Amino acid sequence: MKKILIIGGVAGGASAAARARRLSETAEIIMFERGEYVSFANCGLPYHISGEIAQRSALVLQTPESFKARFNVEVRVKHEVVAIDRAAKLVTVRRLLDGSEYQESYDTLLLSPGAAPIVPPIPGVDNPLTHSLRNIPDMDRILQTIQMNNVEHATVVGGGFIGLEMMESLHHLGIKTTLLELADQVMTPVDREMAGFAHQAIRDQGVDLRLGTALSEVSYQVQTHVASDAAGEDTAHQHIKGHLSLTLSNGELLETDLLIMAIGVRPETQLARDAGLAIGELGGIKVNAMMQTSDPAIYAVGDAVEEQDFVTGQACLVPLAGPANRQGRMAADNMFGREERYQGTQGTAICKVFDLAVGATGKNEKQLKQAGIAFEKVYVHTASHASYYPGAEVVSFKLLFDPVKGTIFGAQAVGKDGIDKRIDVMAVAQRAGMTVEQLQHLELSYAPPYGSAKDVINQAAFVASNIIKGDATPIHFDQIDNLSEDQLLLDVRNPGELQNGGLEGAVNIPVDELRDRMHELPKDKEIIIFCQVGLRGNVAYRQLVNNGYRARNLIGGYRTYKFASV
């Protein structure tokens, strides 16, 4: 009889345990979890803090009792595996309730320890009003601080998924909130110009967003309020309210009642290191495509492992629930002699930022530059469904691709409606090996309430294909501020649009007047055309080049340029 030990629950470990039982009714399966909860919806924690998920119990997906009843898996919570003896195939387990230890043998071992929040050694950060959010007890402590400390102002450090979700949750509770982010943007899976839409939405909600700003020091003070009891006598310490004074990297001071540290996570690898398992260059547990560590009898999955990037084939750290679930299932298959191979991580992700959705899949521009990969990019801003049907919202979409072969490198989208389905389509297209040329032919569902006859993705593919074929010569928002004397800016929007902003020094000839006024433009200069989103700019571009002008069109138009600096 095969004996499987699983260290850590939640996404990877719990998925592996359930899959292993479905494959074998006779295997002995024991899962160890040092916390109190073995299977919970950690992605839902911020939404219970906000009250949007009303019932705390809804976050608990499985209990030790339900796991035992449904899968005959023995779950031991508040049990921490502290050592692995690979030669003897034994683990040492510590009962956290009394500190006693015992050993358990295994035939196959699965590591799913996850990743821990990074809390840098900032002076004063270790105090009762500073929290991170990883599990249900963390969530409970945050809620308790909000209730007991009468929080009026909160500060969130970090503009990633957890930071953004906590920012919105606190705002939802009516708490004034400051968001500090060291980088020049929030949500690093998308590029700076796409993050600009989120920056605008955050500030529009009254959140104090401070980019390029770090936390340097924390000062904790306790304020004791003296209240009178029923007999009229003063009773000290009846209500104690804490307070934090934050010193920021720019020297400013910020007063706050609650501090959430959400600057990222680090793989939990100490147990693997102590056992002599190979650790990758990025600091995660090294595994092969079958999710085996350097010891074939030990598998590892989830946020603690280095996985293979789908685009580059290089090692990467991507702490997402989707990959962890799939890896857990595959590892269980391979424990029983199958040869399932993990086929790379795209990093497909989406985040709610108030009424906006921000999504991405594949590589972003920053990553492609770091990897030295040549790429081209296009932007389209078009309606989420037929613009004449009520409720249509703008989808701002970015596509990254190989300028010669048309290989899809990545996609990003921001908007209020239809973002998830566009990113999901792109994730499928990329994994299927489709090219930009093939994207043109995607036949996506259309009816006025749901889409358009030419979907956002089709339109992006048309623009990209035009560039590859030489039917369009692009210029991008980050090149506009460095034009030479041999270039002339041409704004082809209608005069009424100019009051909403424009580019300094541009000549305005509306596209519908261009044929009759083309003679006003010099032929000895390159004409840099722009409109609001790039569509009319392309019409003007074709007119000009067909008449012997040298021209380039601003891809994504003024809208992309504008939000790149928000």
Side-chain angles (χ1 to χ4, degrees), residues 524-565:
D524 61 344
K525 291 190 176 185
E526 183 179 53
I527 310 301
I528 306 300
I529 309 161
F530 74 94
C531 63
Q532 189 62 23
V533 298
L535 184 61
R536 286 171 292 175
N538 184 60
V539 173
Y541 169 84
R542 293 309 308 170
Q543 287 184 35
L544 288 171
V545 297
N546 286 339
N547 281 278
Y549 285 84
R550 290 183 299 118
R552 296 164 80 184
N553 181 31
L554 175 60
I555 303 298
Y558 179 67
R559 180 178 173 86
T560 298
Y561 176 89
K562 175 184 175 182
F563 278 94
S565 59

Side-chain angles (χ1 to χ4, degrees), residues 309-447:
D309 182 86
F310 182 81
V311 175
T312 67
Q314 302 298 310
C316 62
L317 292 170
V318 183
L320 293 172
N325 272 284
R326 298 197 305 277
Q327 291 163 8
R329 176 188 172 90
M330 291 175 184
D333 278 0
N334 294 333
M335 290 176 186
F336 289 97
R338 301 189 180 188
E339 293 191 6
E340 295 289 335
R341 295 182 178 274
Y342 188 68
Q343 297 179 11
T345 297
Q346 294 166 274
T348 307
I350 192 165
C351 186
K352 179 179 180 293
V353 183
F354 296 108
D355 56 356
L356 278 187
V358 184
T361 190
K363 308 304 284 183
N364 59 39
E365 185 172 336
K366 299 183 294 287
Q367 293 167 332
L368 291 171
K369 287 178 178 177
Q370 290 168 0
I373 297 173
F375 68 92
E376 185 54 270
K377 58 186 177 181
V378 298
Y379 304 88
V380 293
H381 307 278
T382 189
S384 57
H385 59 248
S387 57
Y388 55 80
Y389 187 88
E393 299 285 355
V394 175
V395 173
S396 294
F397 185 86
K398 178 178 183 178
L399 174 62
L400 295 149
F401 58 96
D402 186 304
V404 178
K405 298 177 182 178
T407 306
I408 299 166
F409 289 146
Q412 302 163 32
V414 184
K416 296 181 180 180
D417 179 53
I419 300 305
D420 52 346
K421 75 175 181 178
R422 269 72 189 208
I423 290 301
D424 287 345
V425 167
M426 289 305 305
V428 173
Q430 182 182 51
R431 189 164 287 274
M434 294 180 67
T435 63
V436 162
E437 196 277 334
Q438 290 169 322
L439 279 183
Q440 297 178 98
H441 304 288
L442 284 184
E443 191 171 322
L444 303 173
S445 57
Y446 162 59

Side-chain angles (χ1 to χ4, degrees), residues 7 12-13 109-116 265-269 272 277-294 298-309 314-320 323-328 331 342 344-345:
I7 301 173
L109 182 63
L110 177 78
L111 304 181
S112 180
V265 294
R266 181 182 291 117
E268 290 235 26
T269 59
L277 298 175
I279 304 297
E281 292 182 5
L282 301 178
I285 301 171
K286 198 168 186 178
V287 293
N288 61 18
M290 295 176 69
M291 306 314 299
Q292 287 173 305
T293 68
S294 53
I298 303 178
Y299 294 77
V301 300
D303 296 356
V305 307
E306 289 188 7
E307 48 218 18
Q308 187 182 58
D309 182 86
Q314 302 298 310
C316 62
L317 292 170
V318 183
L320 293 172
N325 272 284
R326 298 197 305 277
Q327 291 163 8
Y342 188 68
T345 297

